[in-house]
Amino acid sequence: MNYIEEIKKLKREKNAIVLAHCYQSIEIDEVADYVGDSLFLCQKAKETDADIIVFAGVYFMAQTAKILNPDKKVILPNIKKAGCSMADMIDLDKLRRFKSRYPNIPVVCYINSTAEVKSECDICCTSSNAVEIVKSLGVNKVLFVPDKNLGRWVEKSLKNVEVLTYNGYCPIHNSMEPTEIEDTRTKHPNSLVLAHPECREAFLNGADYVGSTSGIMSYVKNSSDKSFIVATESGVVDRLKRDYPSKYFYHINDKPAFCQSMKLNTLEDIYTALKDEAPEIFVDKEIAKKAINCIDKMLEVSK
Ligand code: 13P
Ligand code: SF4
């Protein structure tokens, strides 16, 4: 079966769209209406007038799309397995305990979190707008959950805001070692190092640019440099190689970093999910009502 043509046909028949994160396998781009980072996909989910949204990403992304679209069908093809290890590091109990240690301080919540966690935070952020979001609060102290590395990056970028972080992290980015930067630079001299802010502070200190997945891709687009070491998930490197064939891209230590949950989807999965209109995401109405404030506040700042 030609899955690409069949998916396109089903999308037309059902007034459906496919949103794909740039960590997905690259062939998914053939059927995606939008490909990008978490913020971009969240904005597209908010704007769409489609009846069905198929999310080629992980659970928290599809759940966010559902919260923004309670009357639409949101489908996540590999619903049982497409989790995010970082999002799973905090739940409502852990959040409440963390908040009780530091009362009356605004809580900023990375979008990589569950609806329950969002429902008890003040404002959401993604890796591309975290600095802007914390700054928009106009306070000198915030709590930041769950990513300690992104929180630390925000504190360093703003200088005048204390960011008290929860102890969560992305295992894929957190495991990148500062020494690996030097090893990779030795193998590929004159390369710029571009890193995602989910990497550890000591690692980011050795990078030439720090930004979200879309930030990294825009950096390459606007740079006259030819050679880059890219410290994030392999999907970004695959797309950069496709889009800039005359430039050179290397993984940290020449080893691609894989997020297993992001790599689950195949074209066949998307076809089956769209045909069956399942598995569908559902969010408890009371939780969704509270969580949407947190997301909408972010979208208001990042228009
Ligand atoms: P972006 O905000 O760059 O899309 O990153 C999401 C993510 O899960 C990174 O690991
Ligand atoms: Fe979560 Fe890390 Fe995968 Fe991003 S790369 S979805 S933070 S586990």
Side-chain angles (χ1 to χ4, degrees):
M1 182 180 302
N2 182 337
Y3 288 118
I4 296 176
E5 285 316 311
E6 291 302 317
I7 292 168
K8 286 183 179 166
K9 201 164 127 214
L10 283 173
K11 284 202 302 178
R12 285 192 298 274
E13 283 168 16
K14 297 183 181 228
N15 187 28
I17 58 166
V18 175
L19 301 181
H21 191 269
C22 44
Y23 288 168
Q24 292 285 297
S25 303
I26 200 162
E27 66 270 17
I28 306 291
D29 290 13
E30 298 294 325
V31 296
D33 295 86
Y34 298 102
V35 182
D37 72 358
S38 306
L39 178 63
F40 177 72
L41 298 178
C42 185
Q43 288 164 331
K44 292 299 162 196
K46 168 99 180 168
E47 281 165 24
T48 187
D49 55 11
D51 296 315
I52 299 177
I53 300 170
V54 179
F55 219 112
V58 288
Y59 194 88
F60 74 81
M61 295 177 177
Q63 194 183 45
T64 303
K66 179 65 184 175
I67 293 167
L68 291 167
N69 294 284
D71 301 326
K72 297 188 201 301
K73 240 180 210 179
V74 178
I75 292 164
L76 182 65
N78 283 284
I79 204 162
K80 292 215 177 88
K81 294 190 190 142
C84 163
S85 316
M86 182 200 295
D88 293 342
M89 287 180 188
I90 187 164
D91 58 18
L92 213 39
D93 278 351
K94 290 176 178 159
L95 172 69
R96 285 175 181 161
R97 258 180 276 143
F98 182 59
K99 283 168 72 170
S100 70
R101 281 167 54 202
Y102 307 102
N104 306 319
I105 302 175
V107 190
V108 180
C109 143
Y110 192 23
I111 199 160
N112 298 36
S113 54
T114 62
E116 286 78 9
V117 166
K118 289 184 179 78
S119 76
E120 295 200 10
C121 291
D122 296 290
I123 190 164
C124 212
C125 73
T126 74
S127 64
S128 63
N129 65 11
V131 174
E132 181 192 13
I133 294 293
V134 172
K135 195 173 172 194
S136 76
L137 296 174
V139 295
N140 58 16
K141 204 183 268 193
V142 296
L143 302 186
F144 194 96
V145 301
D147 189 4
K148 60 180 177 181
N149 295 326
L150 181 61
R152 182 69 196 107
W153 166 248
V154 170
E155 182 174 73
K156 234 184 131 189
S157 306
L158 283 174
K159 296 186 177 77
N160 56 355
V161 182
E162 192 182 350
V163 180
L164 302 166
T165 58
Y166 185 79
N167 194 26
Y169 57 88
C170 164
I172 293 117
H173 291 88
N174 196 65
S175 67
M176 293 183 186
E177 294 291 338
T179 50
E180 292 178 315
I181 292 192
E182 285 325 307
D183 295 347
T184 319
R185 275 195 206 271
T186 307
K187 284 188 225 153
H188 308 290
N190 304 320
S191 299
L192 290 179
V193 176
L194 316 178
H196 196 279
E198 287 177 13
C199 297
R200 278 181 286 152
E201 183 183 7
F203 186 94
L204 297 179
N205 287 342
D208 298 291
Y209 168 79
V210 178
S212 72
T213 47
S214 292
I216 289 173
M217 295 208 257
S218 309
Y219 187 93
V220 170
K221 185 178 177 189
N222 299 321
S223 170
S224 54
D225 278 75
K226 286 260 175 277
S227 184
F228 304 90
I229 296 165
V230 183
T232 191
E233 211 269 352
S234 64
V236 171
V237 180
D238 294 342
R239 285 168 177 80
L240 288 170
K241 284 183 177 168
R242 176 196 63 194
D243 296 344
Y244 305 97
S246 63
K247 298 194 179 197
Y248 299 92
F249 301 98
Y250 305 101
H251 301 278
I252 284 291
N253 243 353
D254 289 331
K255 268 205 324 261
F258 290 112
C259 173
Q260 299 299 342
S261 302
M262 282 284 188
K263 290 290 184 272
L264 289 168
N265 286 322
T266 61
L267 287 168
E268 184 178 357
D269 293 337
I270 293 180
Y271 166 75
T272 308
L274 193 49
K275 176 172 69 64
D276 298 345
E277 300 185 17
E280 204 182 334
I281 297 266
F282 296 100
V283 185
D284 175 89
K285 283 204 169 62
E286 287 309 306
I287 296 286
K289 229 194 277 171
K290 290 197 255 169
I292 199 167
N293 292 329
C294 182
I295 303 163
D296 272 342
K297 272 195 218 154
M298 170 186 82
L299 293 174
E300 198 48 42
V301 176
S302 283
K303 278 190 183 151

